[in-house]
Amino acid sequence: MRTEQPKTIYLKDYQVPEYLIDETSLTFELYEDHSLVHAQLVMRRNPEAGPGLPLLVLNGQNMELLSLRLDDRDLTAADYLLSPSELTVQPDSASFTLDSTVRIHPETNTALEGLYKSGTMFCTQCEAEGFRKITYYLDRPDVMSSFTTTVSADKQRYPVLLSNGNPIASGDGDNGRHWATWQDPFKKPAYLFALVAGDLWCVEDTFTTMSAREVALRIYVEPENIDKCQHAMDSLKKSMRWDEEVYGREYDLDIFMIVAVNDFNMGAMENKGLNIFNSSAVLAKAETATDAAHQRIEGILAHEYFHNWSGNRVTCRDWFQLSLKEGFTVFRDAEFSADMNSRTVKRIEDVAYLRTHQFAEDAGPMAHPVRPDSYMEISNFYTLTVYEKGAEVLRMIHTLLGAEAFRKGSDLYFERHDGQAVTCDDFIKAMEDASGVDLTQFKRWYSQAGTPRLDVREAYDAAAQTYTLTFKQSCPATPGQPEKQPFVIPVELGLLNAQGVELPLRLQGEAEALGTSRVLSLTEAEQSFTFVDIAEQPLPSLLRGFSAPVKLSFPYSRDQLMFLMQHDSDGFNRWEAGQQLAVQILQELIAQHQAGKALELDQRLIAALRTVLENDQLDQAMVAEMLSLPGEAYLAEISEVADVEAIHAAREFARKQIAAELFEPLWARYQENRAISRERAYVAEAAEFARRALQNIALSYLMESGKDEVLAACLEQFEQTDNMTERLHAMAVLVNSPFEAEKAASLAKFAEHFKDNPLVMDQWFSVQAGSPLPGGLARVQQLMQHPAFNLKNPNKVRALIGAFANQNLINFHAADGSGYRFLADQVIALDGFNPQIAARQLAPLTRWRKYDATRQALIQGELKRILASGELSADVYEVVSKSLN
Ligand code: B3K
Ligand code: ZN
């Protein structure tokens, strides 16, 4: 907890470490009421840091120093300086060994950072700065050391003792205890350290690498979950193969372990050789996990595995460089998922997510560049900007260089920097050196925050047969950055003629056309490109595949958007045209609602969706995506002032109209897919995900009709299924329906059946927390009293409080401010024991500028109340104070 205002750390102040730690030997003695950590650090003066022997300042928090020894000398309190966060010692030679013993309390560590207990097992989370809660250390990523770790614990309670690397020795001790020693042959920063002790079972497999080495794969879980590991194991093996094939990266230890824990602040952690996962990111089987959960697990497995190279073998010099590993690894996992499933659908999902959430972050008070310049608490910078926008930046490099040069660049990067802690500039340099492309201006994507706008206009000259597109880019001011320089923006585009045929693209001055889809690289604030040999006025398809993370605007008419929906050869842009059409029409409904007029839906939306539904050539996942209207949060994000009531009313009205007018084709699509689902056993694969997605979205629309036969179908789907995808969706649809008796019965039945499965109960909480029906807050407050709810468990907080505040806009933004007050109360409570989770839950309150004056005042009032509520963590203090600034 904070005792004074937290300090701001600046990238410009970076200095190399004064000392290095060549070897780290740790011994953990785990007990029920405390643990002892003995650390032996073989250290030396960093030759790069200059002459002399400055003071050695080690990080350390929440621990009791029991003994300290410098080489052969026991140090007494007079020999060192101890503060709540540092231990300072004066070395007397350039090389020395420091031995310390500390007492820590994992059994009461509710922040879930450092060494803590999840249920009955011990586990760790060290990134970014958790290792300093385990022992006194140079806890920074540019200090890389060889680790040997011995763990000792009661043998009966903790039969499994794990740490990074390879097991080298084990044995029994006194009093029913036992021990195991692990050695990691690769140097690593402390943030990649891991330890696990528990009563765990494991699923085992093997993987033969491209150089024919055999790697043992183990997924450790609590015994009751042993039947839910196969999907994760399959995903792991696919990831290992993919990284060999696409990046030439081979796994480097003889064993790779994953442990699933129930109490975890985020999704998973890439500790060397011993990944620790939130159980929600590992456990899946048909009966308990949805298709979305299966896909999320595949993606997270890949992400953490890929970190072994992009993160562990080559790591970050300092935490400002976080996107070096995270942006790159998200890009890698997105490409993996695209290869495993539908590429277009994966892109659509990622872009929808980016535009709804990252764009909002980039427009709010916490906006920061992909490589931030400063922070108070680094945990607050594991953001959508660093991860998702960071991945978009990598995607743009890939687009600009082409796949082949990009691969050369990544090979060079891994080869040049293997075993080092480096910067985003080092990455860019490798890309430049391998490709010969100058990325100097491109690097502004790392240093400038905010989402660029791209306004495009056209001019067709029939006499000259030329077509000119003029692009004007601008970027709004963000905190600390009033002015922006132009970005390099790759715009992939095509031109369609009136028959929907794509025209050959030849720019003025070029000898010949270069295909029908090509990438223009914008570099100036305003720039024109003239295409020649254009015999008729074309229709442009712009920013194909969302080739840059910008807000594009072009004055498309609704008819033009309908045309693109049918004819664009780029699947992403076909979807995008449909979204833009829906946005235009929904915005019209929003305006009607605000003006107190009767709502009237532009029938072109119905016509467009009818065409989609009747097109049996389209991938069913695409049909499902195209039937999904832009979400309320996205509609809020693109509004000048978000009117949540009007947005909700407009979207609900459109949904009802669609259901009424397209009942027949929706019913046909539903029934044909439901019939297949009834016959086939569940399989977690792309074509089946697609089919079920269409079946489920059709059911949601159909229920809007209120017809008895749909209710019967919904109940039948809820009851008669082998999988959670169908069951949960049917329940969600019932929860949002007016059929009170059926709703109550299905919720009760579901809870009774799954009460012992916490991950399934998370779904049960979420479905209810997200329901837009009136009385949302009261429902959430009541659910907080449910025996399966626990504020100490981050998954429960996200499932109930997070789902309410982020996915239930109409209830959360209730005009009386009750939603805001509730969230502020929860943040204050959470901050008392888990600052990271508390700070995360604040996000919806940081967006206050989006709302009307009354709501702005209410939200600001709650932020001020949090600030005045007592001693805040640095995490919450940073978010609240920046939001109010
Ligand atoms: N690297 C971890 C994130 C750690 C977050 C620490 N607050 C998971 C990941 O991105 O793979
Ligand atoms: Zn990551």
Side-chain angles (χ1 to χ4, degrees), residues 204-231:
E204 274 194 276
D205 208 327
T206 59
F207 179 82
T208 308
T209 71
M210 61 198 211
S211 68
R213 279 189 312 102
E214 191 159 290
V215 179
L217 309 177
R218 290 197 192 140
I219 300 181
Y220 287 92
V221 295
E222 288 169 307
E224 67 270 24
N225 292 323
I226 200 74
D227 60 339
K228 304 183 195 78
C229 300
Q230 195 53 46
H231 179 67

mmCIF file of all heavy atoms in Angstrom, residues 204-231:
data_model
loop_
_atom_site.group_PDB
_atom_site.id
_atom_site.type_symbol
_atom_site.label_atom_id
_atom_site.label_comp_id
_atom_site.label_asym_id
_atom_site.label_seq_id
_atom_site.Cartn_x
_atom_site.Cartn_y
_atom_site.Cartn_z
ATOM 1 N N GLU A 204 0.152 -36.340 -19.930
ATOM 2 C CA GLU A 204 1.476 -36.333 -20.555
ATOM 3 C C GLU A 204 1.397 -36.644 -22.027
ATOM 4 O O GLU A 204 0.550 -37.424 -22.473
ATOM 5 C CB GLU A 204 2.351 -37.401 -19.907
ATOM 6 C CG GLU A 204 3.043 -36.912 -18.674
ATOM 7 C CD GLU A 204 4.140 -37.862 -18.247
ATOM 8 O OE1 GLU A 204 3.803 -38.840 -17.546
ATOM 9 O OE2 GLU A 204 5.305 -37.635 -18.624
ATOM 10 N N ASP A 205 2.328 -36.062 -22.759
ATOM 11 C CA ASP A 205 2.436 -36.349 -24.183
ATOM 12 C C ASP A 205 3.885 -36.057 -24.572
ATOM 13 O O ASP A 205 4.693 -35.672 -23.705
ATOM 14 C CB ASP A 205 1.459 -35.457 -24.967
ATOM 15 C CG ASP A 205 0.999 -36.117 -26.267
ATOM 16 O OD1 ASP A 205 1.793 -36.863 -26.866
ATOM 17 O OD2 ASP A 205 -0.140 -35.847 -26.694
ATOM 18 N N THR A 206 4.195 -36.228 -25.843
ATOM 19 C CA THR A 206 5.545 -35.868 -26.280
ATOM 20 C C THR A 206 5.445 -35.144 -27.610
ATOM 21 O O THR A 206 4.457 -35.266 -28.333
ATOM 22 C CB THR A 206 6.450 -37.105 -26.501
ATOM 23 O OG1 THR A 206 5.833 -37.922 -27.495
ATOM 24 C CG2 THR A 206 6.681 -37.880 -25.230
ATOM 25 N N PHE A 207 6.506 -34.402 -27.906
ATOM 26 C CA PHE A 207 6.579 -33.691 -29.183
ATOM 27 C C PHE A 207 7.979 -33.898 -29.729
ATOM 28 O O PHE A 207 8.961 -33.752 -28.993
ATOM 29 C CB PHE A 207 6.313 -32.199 -28.965
ATOM 30 C CG PHE A 207 6.387 -31.386 -30.231
ATOM 31 C CD1 PHE A 207 5.303 -31.313 -31.106
ATOM 32 C CD2 PHE A 207 7.561 -30.707 -30.565
ATOM 33 C CE1 PHE A 207 5.380 -30.566 -32.268
ATOM 34 C CE2 PHE A 207 7.643 -29.969 -31.737
ATOM 35 C CZ PHE A 207 6.550 -29.896 -32.597
ATOM 36 N N THR A 208 8.065 -34.281 -31.003
ATOM 37 C CA THR A 208 9.380 -34.445 -31.615
ATOM 38 C C THR A 208 9.684 -33.201 -32.427
ATOM 39 O O THR A 208 8.933 -32.847 -33.336
ATOM 40 C CB THR A 208 9.399 -35.696 -32.515
ATOM 41 O OG1 THR A 208 8.916 -36.795 -31.732
ATOM 42 C CG2 THR A 208 10.803 -35.992 -33.014
ATOM 43 N N THR A 209 10.742 -32.527 -32.079
ATOM 44 C CA THR A 209 11.031 -31.235 -32.708
ATOM 45 C C THR A 209 11.625 -31.435 -34.097
ATOM 46 O O THR A 209 11.944 -32.552 -34.504
ATOM 47 C CB THR A 209 12.037 -30.412 -31.874
ATOM 48 O OG1 THR A 209 13.324 -31.035 -31.980
ATOM 49 C CG2 THR A 209 11.615 -30.313 -30.427
ATOM 50 N N MET A 210 11.791 -30.325 -34.820
ATOM 51 C CA MET A 210 12.295 -30.415 -36.193
ATOM 52 C C MET A 210 13.711 -30.974 -36.264
ATOM 53 O O MET A 210 14.110 -31.492 -37.291
ATOM 54 C CB MET A 210 12.204 -29.061 -36.885
ATOM 55 C CG MET A 210 12.998 -27.954 -36.252
ATOM 56 S SD MET A 210 12.359 -26.382 -36.869
ATOM 57 C CE MET A 210 13.817 -25.395 -36.826
ATOM 58 N N SER A 211 14.457 -30.900 -35.162
ATOM 59 C CA SER A 211 15.769 -31.546 -35.193
ATOM 60 C C SER A 211 15.710 -32.889 -34.472
ATOM 61 O O SER A 211 16.718 -33.388 -33.980
ATOM 62 C CB SER A 211 16.841 -30.630 -34.601
ATOM 63 O OG SER A 211 16.622 -30.481 -33.219
ATOM 64 N N ALA A 212 14.512 -33.451 -34.389
ATOM 65 C CA ALA A 212 14.282 -34.821 -33.898
ATOM 66 C C ALA A 212 14.575 -35.008 -32.409
ATOM 67 O O ALA A 212 14.853 -36.110 -31.951
ATOM 68 C CB ALA A 212 15.074 -35.839 -34.735
ATOM 69 N N ARG A 213 14.513 -33.929 -31.624
ATOM 70 C CA ARG A 213 14.616 -34.094 -30.177
ATOM 71 C C ARG A 213 13.234 -34.364 -29.619
ATOM 72 O O ARG A 213 12.244 -33.797 -30.086
ATOM 73 C CB ARG A 213 15.179 -32.819 -29.530
ATOM 74 C CG ARG A 213 16.698 -32.715 -29.625
ATOM 75 C CD ARG A 213 17.239 -31.562 -28.789
ATOM 76 N NE ARG A 213 16.484 -30.336 -29.025
ATOM 77 C CZ ARG A 213 15.560 -29.861 -28.206
ATOM 78 N NH1 ARG A 213 15.253 -30.484 -27.075
ATOM 79 N NH2 ARG A 213 14.922 -28.747 -28.505
ATOM 80 N N GLU A 214 13.191 -35.205 -28.595
ATOM 81 C CA GLU A 214 11.891 -35.496 -28.016
ATOM 82 C C GLU A 214 11.674 -34.637 -26.768
ATOM 83 O O GLU A 214 12.525 -34.592 -25.882
ATOM 84 C CB GLU A 214 11.785 -36.974 -27.667
ATOM 85 C CG GLU A 214 10.366 -37.334 -27.319
ATOM 86 C CD GLU A 214 10.079 -38.826 -27.468
ATOM 87 O OE1 GLU A 214 10.048 -39.300 -28.620
ATOM 88 O OE2 GLU A 214 9.910 -39.473 -26.430
ATOM 89 N N VAL A 215 10.552 -33.959 -26.730
ATOM 90 C CA VAL A 215 10.227 -33.086 -25.608
ATOM 91 C C VAL A 215 9.044 -33.682 -24.856
ATOM 92 O O VAL A 215 8.036 -34.052 -25.474
ATOM 93 C CB VAL A 215 9.859 -31.673 -26.114
ATOM 94 C CG1 VAL A 215 9.500 -30.767 -24.947
ATOM 95 C CG2 VAL A 215 10.985 -31.075 -26.942
ATOM 96 N N ALA A 216 9.180 -33.783 -23.535
ATOM 97 C CA ALA A 216 8.052 -34.242 -22.722
ATOM 98 C C ALA A 216 7.112 -33.066 -22.463
ATOM 99 O O ALA A 216 7.564 -31.985 -22.104
ATOM 100 C CB ALA A 216 8.560 -34.799 -21.398
ATOM 101 N N LEU A 217 5.831 -33.292 -22.683
ATOM 102 C CA LEU A 217 4.826 -32.240 -22.459
ATOM 103 C C LEU A 217 3.944 -32.665 -21.294
ATOM 104 O O LEU A 217 3.460 -33.805 -21.277
ATOM 105 C CB LEU A 217 3.960 -32.051 -23.708
ATOM 106 C CG LEU A 217 4.689 -31.858 -25.039
ATOM 107 C CD1 LEU A 217 3.687 -31.758 -26.182
ATOM 108 C CD2 LEU A 217 5.567 -30.602 -24.993
ATOM 109 N N ARG A 218 3.751 -31.765 -20.353
ATOM 110 C CA ARG A 218 2.901 -32.124 -19.203
ATOM 111 C C ARG A 218 1.978 -30.988 -18.844
ATOM 112 O O ARG A 218 2.419 -29.847 -18.704
ATOM 113 C CB ARG A 218 3.767 -32.401 -17.974
ATOM 114 C CG ARG A 218 4.552 -33.658 -18.103
ATOM 115 C CD ARG A 218 5.047 -34.094 -16.736
ATOM 116 N NE ARG A 218 6.024 -35.134 -16.967
ATOM 117 C CZ ARG A 218 7.155 -35.271 -16.299
ATOM 118 N NH1 ARG A 218 7.455 -34.428 -15.332
ATOM 119 N NH2 ARG A 218 7.981 -36.243 -16.588
ATOM 120 N N ILE A 219 0.718 -31.322 -18.682
ATOM 121 C CA ILE A 219 -0.253 -30.334 -18.187
ATOM 122 C C ILE A 219 -0.719 -30.797 -16.815
ATOM 123 O O ILE A 219 -1.283 -31.882 -16.680
ATOM 124 C CB ILE A 219 -1.438 -30.181 -19.158
ATOM 125 C CG1 ILE A 219 -0.929 -29.717 -20.527
ATOM 126 C CG2 ILE A 219 -2.461 -29.190 -18.596
ATOM 127 C CD1 ILE A 219 -2.010 -29.503 -21.569
ATOM 128 N N TYR A 220 -0.412 -29.981 -15.795
ATOM 129 C CA TYR A 220 -0.769 -30.323 -14.411
ATOM 130 C C TYR A 220 -2.055 -29.613 -14.005
ATOM 131 O O TYR A 220 -2.170 -28.388 -14.194
ATOM 132 C CB TYR A 220 0.331 -29.862 -13.459
ATOM 133 C CG TYR A 220 1.596 -30.692 -13.517
ATOM 134 C CD1 TYR A 220 2.636 -30.333 -14.368
ATOM 135 C CD2 TYR A 220 1.754 -31.816 -12.712
ATOM 136 C CE1 TYR A 220 3.805 -31.082 -14.414
ATOM 137 C CE2 TYR A 220 2.919 -32.563 -12.756
ATOM 138 C CZ TYR A 220 3.942 -32.190 -13.600
ATOM 139 O OH TYR A 220 5.095 -32.930 -13.639
ATOM 140 N N VAL A 221 -2.955 -30.397 -13.432
ATOM 141 C CA VAL A 221 -4.231 -29.819 -12.975
ATOM 142 C C VAL A 221 -4.644 -30.493 -11.667
ATOM 143 O O VAL A 221 -4.087 -31.539 -11.293
ATOM 144 C CB VAL A 221 -5.365 -30.028 -14.021
ATOM 145 C CG1 VAL A 221 -5.084 -29.267 -15.297
ATOM 146 C CG2 VAL A 221 -5.565 -31.514 -14.329
ATOM 147 N N GLU A 222 -5.639 -29.924 -11.010
ATOM 148 C CA GLU A 222 -6.192 -30.601 -9.844
ATOM 149 C C GLU A 222 -6.922 -31.845 -10.339
ATOM 150 O O GLU A 222 -7.459 -31.848 -11.448
ATOM 151 C CB GLU A 222 -7.120 -29.646 -9.082
ATOM 152 C CG GLU A 222 -6.283 -28.582 -8.379
ATOM 153 C CD GLU A 222 -7.082 -27.432 -7.798
ATOM 154 O OE1 GLU A 222 -7.878 -26.829 -8.538
ATOM 155 O OE2 GLU A 222 -6.898 -27.148 -6.612
ATOM 156 N N PRO A 223 -6.922 -32.917 -9.516
ATOM 157 C CA PRO A 223 -7.400 -34.218 -10.005
ATOM 158 C C PRO A 223 -8.761 -34.176 -10.715
ATOM 159 O O PRO A 223 -8.941 -34.847 -11.732
ATOM 160 C CB PRO A 223 -7.453 -35.075 -8.740
ATOM 161 C CG PRO A 223 -6.436 -34.464 -7.826
ATOM 162 C CD PRO A 223 -6.389 -33.000 -8.146
ATOM 163 N N GLU A 224 -9.684 -33.334 -10.218
ATOM 164 C CA GLU A 224 -11.034 -33.353 -10.815
ATOM 165 C C GLU A 224 -11.059 -32.797 -12.241
ATOM 166 O O GLU A 224 -12.057 -32.924 -12.942
ATOM 167 C CB GLU A 224 -12.047 -32.604 -9.941
ATOM 168 C CG GLU A 224 -11.838 -31.106 -9.824
ATOM 169 C CD GLU A 224 -10.944 -30.700 -8.652
ATOM 170 O OE1 GLU A 224 -10.124 -31.536 -8.195
ATOM 171 O OE2 GLU A 224 -11.078 -29.538 -8.197
ATOM 172 N N ASN A 225 -9.951 -32.189 -12.665
ATOM 173 C CA ASN A 225 -9.933 -31.588 -14.002
ATOM 174 C C ASN A 225 -9.135 -32.385 -15.032
ATOM 175 O O ASN A 225 -8.928 -31.914 -16.148
ATOM 176 C CB ASN A 225 -9.372 -30.172 -13.914
ATOM 177 C CG ASN A 225 -10.312 -29.253 -13.175
ATOM 178 O OD1 ASN A 225 -11.531 -29.383 -13.315
ATOM 179 N ND2 ASN A 225 -9.779 -28.363 -12.368
ATOM 180 N N ILE A 226 -8.732 -33.571 -14.651
ATOM 181 C CA ILE A 226 -7.850 -34.337 -15.520
ATOM 182 C C ILE A 226 -8.523 -34.671 -16.870
ATOM 183 O O ILE A 226 -7.847 -34.868 -17.881
ATOM 184 C CB ILE A 226 -7.345 -35.612 -14.786
ATOM 185 C CG1 ILE A 226 -6.088 -36.151 -15.447
ATOM 186 C CG2 ILE A 226 -8.423 -36.663 -14.639
ATOM 187 C CD1 ILE A 226 -4.846 -35.332 -15.183
ATOM 188 N N ASP A 227 -9.851 -34.645 -16.897
ATOM 189 C CA ASP A 227 -10.569 -34.957 -18.150
ATOM 190 C C ASP A 227 -10.767 -33.723 -19.047
ATOM 191 O O ASP A 227 -11.468 -33.798 -20.040
ATOM 192 C CB ASP A 227 -11.945 -35.566 -17.820
ATOM 193 C CG ASP A 227 -12.811 -34.608 -17.005
ATOM 194 O OD1 ASP A 227 -12.253 -33.677 -16.370
ATOM 195 O OD2 ASP A 227 -14.046 -34.771 -17.004
ATOM 196 N N LYS A 228 -10.145 -32.589 -18.678
ATOM 197 C CA LYS A 228 -10.391 -31.367 -19.460
ATOM 198 C C LYS A 228 -9.103 -30.784 -20.040
ATOM 199 O O LYS A 228 -8.991 -29.574 -20.241
ATOM 200 C CB LYS A 228 -11.078 -30.312 -18.581
ATOM 201 C CG LYS A 228 -12.367 -30.795 -17.932
ATOM 202 C CD LYS A 228 -13.037 -29.685 -17.129
ATOM 203 C CE LYS A 228 -14.099 -30.226 -16.191
ATOM 204 N NZ LYS A 228 -13.545 -30.837 -14.951
ATOM 205 N N CYS A 229 -8.121 -31.639 -20.286
ATOM 206 C CA CYS A 229 -6.802 -31.148 -20.728
ATOM 207 C C CYS A 229 -6.492 -31.426 -22.196
ATOM 208 O O CYS A 229 -5.505 -30.899 -22.719
ATOM 209 C CB CYS A 229 -5.699 -31.772 -19.884
ATOM 210 S SG CYS A 229 -5.846 -31.390 -18.141
ATOM 211 N N GLN A 230 -7.273 -32.269 -22.837
ATOM 212 C CA GLN A 230 -6.868 -32.732 -24.171
ATOM 213 C C GLN A 230 -6.809 -31.594 -25.198
ATOM 214 O O GLN A 230 -5.909 -31.532 -26.021
ATOM 215 C CB GLN A 230 -7.822 -33.843 -24.658
ATOM 216 C CG GLN A 230 -7.290 -34.616 -25.849
ATOM 217 C CD GLN A 230 -5.877 -35.172 -25.608
ATOM 218 O OE1 GLN A 230 -5.602 -35.749 -24.557
ATOM 219 N NE2 GLN A 230 -4.975 -34.949 -26.565
ATOM 220 N N HIS A 231 -7.787 -30.702 -25.118
ATOM 221 C CA HIS A 231 -7.806 -29.607 -26.100
ATOM 222 C C HIS A 231 -6.566 -28.727 -25.948
ATOM 223 O O HIS A 231 -5.953 -28.321 -26.937
ATOM 224 C CB HIS A 231 -9.081 -28.781 -25.932
ATOM 225 C CG HIS A 231 -9.174 -27.632 -26.885
ATOM 226 N ND1 HIS A 231 -9.314 -27.803 -28.250
ATOM 227 C CD2 HIS A 231 -9.116 -26.291 -26.672
ATOM 228 C CE1 HIS A 231 -9.348 -26.613 -28.835
ATOM 229 N NE2 HIS A 231 -9.230 -25.678 -27.908
#
